[in-house]
Amino acid sequence: MHLENLGVLCPTRNISLPEAFSGTQNVSSPLKEEAWRVNVRIQGCDLSHGYLCGTMEALNVPMADTPVVTFWEGEIVDTKNYTFFTNKWKATSEVDIEHWSKFPSFSPLLVEVDGGKSLDLSNYQYIFMRWKEQYFVNVGADCGLTIAGFYYVCFSCVDGSINGYYYDPNSSPFQKLELKTTNEGRTGFSFSSYELQ
Amino acid sequence: MPGSASTTSHRSESLITRLHSASSSQNNETKLKVLRELKNQIIGNRTKKISYIKQGAVPFVVSVLSNCDCVNDCLVVVQCAAIVGSFACGVDVGVTAVLEAGAFAHLIALLSRDNVKVVDAGARALRMIYQSKVAPKYDFFEEKNIQFLISLLDRNNENVTGLGASIITHSCQTHDEQKILADAGVLKKLINLLGGTTNQRDASLESFATIIKENPEVISKFVGPENGRTWCTLIELTKDRYPRTRLLACKCINLIKNAAPSYLQYVGMRTKLILVLLELLDDPGQVGDEALFTLSSFIEDDEGLQKLAFETNTIDKLLNRTQKELLQAKRLQGVFITLANICSNLECCRSILIQSPKALNFVTDALTHTNVDVRVAACICLKNISRSVKYLSAGRFMTESVIMPLIQLLFDTSTSVQVAALCTISNIVVDFTMHKSLFVQNGGVKQLVQLSKSMDSVIRLNAVWALRNLVFLVDSRCKEVIFMELRALTLTSLVSDPSASVQEQALALICNLVNGPVDSIEYVFSEDGLLMNAVGRQLWSASKPEVLIQGMYVLCNVASGKEFHKEAVMHQLLPQPNNDGTQSIMVTMLQSDTAQLRTAAVWTIVNLTIPTGAGALARVVKLRNAGIVSQLKNMVNDPCLDVKLRVKTALGQSMTFGDFST
């Protein structure tokens, strides 16, 4: 068994996902709104278990001298491994629906009753996920930032964009994450891959 | 009291002389005396056995046996048979000697005698012979041999039935032989013997396992719901008071599970079996060793069973054992293989080992063990642990304590160790924290490149695989070092390697090489475009989709560069002007049954037709003239979502320059 990097493709979904994204996260504080620049890299995926992971790099973070990198793990809402209902991280089903409804691509889906268990999303042009940061890669946990919450995420297979909303009962609600694929100086799309043994 | 060497030698020569005399003597008392003396010297004494074999004792004993009358000379016959059996016991040269002396036929003849002691002696001696790999192969294809074997299993004699079982365990090797025995009803007879003495049970269990091993057809015919009694018997035997019996019963159940997993699911024995095997690990000897290997086989390739093993604290139990005592090589090997299997799929298992510095040290220390099998097993264990993307992301494996011994193993004298180390390294160098320089600086690249030129295709494959993973997202400086070591010429040769798997990995390596900063693309243009041409040639000639996919992605990546790069890709994809009749390989790829290949091809076209480039229009015209645009139009409803979306993008970009329908 091996994992294929998303930069080539995810075999069971037959979707090739870019590996690098950049954009912003809107961060609310009592005093002002600010936007952190964010780079996200997807590093691994195991579609049979609805799993993917990667890193998130937040730049221009006021409390930090350097960009802050976190490692996150994702749950892909494939209705087999995971449904739209989170069932953990202090997110009730009401909170789930409230957040998923922020994505226009969610509205055609009938989810309220069973979290979408009976839906077949294998050919849907959007991929829904939850991303949960697990640890800080390059700074200590006392850096002043929190990774207590998680993101509701929607990836568009059409244009490769990612939108997300951060949920943490102790933080400002609906902090928005907006990312686009980065071509890193190229005129086109480039792919790389690894294969674990 | 040990005598002097000269006294001992004198004694044995005297014994041989007397044995010679006895073989032609009519006096049974004389014979018995010298035979008993010989027997007492050799029993349990391997040195003495070999010494007497060299002095030619065996033919004399067989000669005495052949001249005996089983009715009047029972005692002599029994002694001879015991001596022959003793010479054969655990000594392969002894087995050869007794066979060459013609003992086999005489021993077989003893089995049909009336005297029970004679029969026992003959059967025991033959069993000793059949425990050796140099024993003659029993021909199960002869009907009379099958009948003879069945007659042995039907006898009411523990030694004779044991002989029948030994013959099966020794000689049954192929599926055809298993089928013959199963069709002859041998399995049923063996099951019946499970109700006998401990020796009968153990011998029968071993033979049963031999017949069913890796033969789903035999198993499915024998162990169905109507054979509930068999199951009950086997399950009961896992609770037997003798450890060896419990182990053999577990082995049989494991073999059945390997061929028919759903059957064991129904029975619900899984957790119990794991606990029985774990408890057997308390045995410090062979039973404990085999229990470990049975456990590792039981959970291999079965995530559900690995989870059960995790839930029964298998990892802790194994690790606790390693801390209590210094383990022998066989046991260590078993521990690592079991840990490897339990970590093969489950992150929770890997976490336990990674988060414990003692556990990880235990594994890495074993990489320098003196025993080859232990080194291989430790590598495999580390390889499976390092499947954790989470911990690769944390850089937990890119440390000196892990990397240094692994690099050393690349120089190991054993090929199997080298291969195991290569497989492990290929995971560890995926390291996402970009600390790959540790590997590069410690000579890892040099040796990987060296091994990529090996005559052994397995070594070559795994070396290239490791290089591919090393180059994945590596920084520019390390990339330069790697390329300088590898050289375009070596890579070119790997791209057209006799093995398609090596080709695939080499192309994936190049794909990673040209990814990253746009100037990385220049690597394929070095030495007059050596690599670029090699990739193009492979795309025109290869047939395996896996190879074509990677080759296509190389061109896709190159096509994401500058204008010159895109033109170079066009040159590779389109037929040469003097080959007007040839269809572009791009059309062939787009028509492939393999979705991944169609995807790679369309992404390449997306890159070639990006409207902002100065040469974009000219490229679109060429692609249209080559029939590629019309092929894309046929793919707007491709069953693969990814292809469908990229086709839409590519067509949209092409249409920017006008519709070509007129």
Side-chain angles (χ1 to χ4, degrees), chain B residues 146-185:
Chain B
I146 289 287
Q147 293 308 320
F148 179 69
L149 184 64
I150 289 175
S151 74
L152 295 179
L153 295 173
D154 281 339
R155 291 276 284 267
N156 187 12
N157 180 309
E158 180 184 340
N159 286 306
V160 176
T161 56
L163 170 61
S166 296
I167 290 172
I168 295 168
T169 305
H170 171 270
S171 292
C172 175
Q173 289 160 352
T174 65
H175 276 211
D176 288 339
E177 287 167 333
Q178 289 171 323
K179 189 171 183 325
I180 286 174
L181 288 167
D183 290 346

Side-chain angles (χ1 to χ4, degrees), chain A residues 1-5 7-11 13-17 19 41-46 49 51 53-55 71 73 122-126 134-135 137 155 157-160 183-197, chain B residues 303 345 383 386-387 389-390 392-394 422-423 426-427 430 432-433 462 465 468-469 472-473 504-505 508 511-512 514-518 520-521 550 553 556-557 559-562 566 595-596 599 603 606-607 610 639-642 645-646:
Chain A
M1 192 190 113
H2 56 262
L3 305 181
E4 290 229 40
N5 181 44
V8 179
L9 80 154
C10 297
R13 261 301 294 260
N14 271 328
I15 269 289
S16 45
L17 294 174
E19 62 199 22
R41 194 171 278 283
I42 296 181
Q43 291 171 341
C45 90
D46 176 6
H49 292 96
Y51 172 90
C53 64
T55 53
F71 171 81
E73 291 183 302
S122 53
N123 283 310
Y124 201 51
Q125 294 186 12
Y126 298 89
Q134 298 294 330
Y135 56 79
V137 174
F155 168 78
C157 302
V158 181
D159 63 9
N183 291 348
E184 296 177 308
R186 292 179 178 239
T187 52
F189 298 91
S190 179
F191 298 88
S192 63
S193 70
Y194 64 86
E195 189 178 351
L196 292 175
Q197 296 217 40
Chain B
E303 195 174 312
N345 294 300
K383 179 196 73 164
S386 64
R387 287 177 177 170
V389 179
K390 178 173 176 176
L392 283 170
S393 298
L422 281 168
C423 294
S426 71
N427 282 2
V430 173
F432 296 105
T433 58
N462 286 291
W465 196 327
R468 171 227 184 144
N469 283 354
F472 170 74
L473 295 184
E504 183 193 344
Q505 293 296 335
C511 199
N512 289 349
V514 298
N515 189 50
V518 71
S520 292
I521 297 176
Q550 294 299 341
Y553 273 114
C556 174
N557 286 3
S560 70
K562 300 175 182 159
K566 294 177 198 280
Q596 290 179 357
T599 307
W603 272 118
V606 164
N607 286 348
I610 297 224
C640 172
L641 179 64
D642 208 3
L645 292 172
R646 309 313 152 210

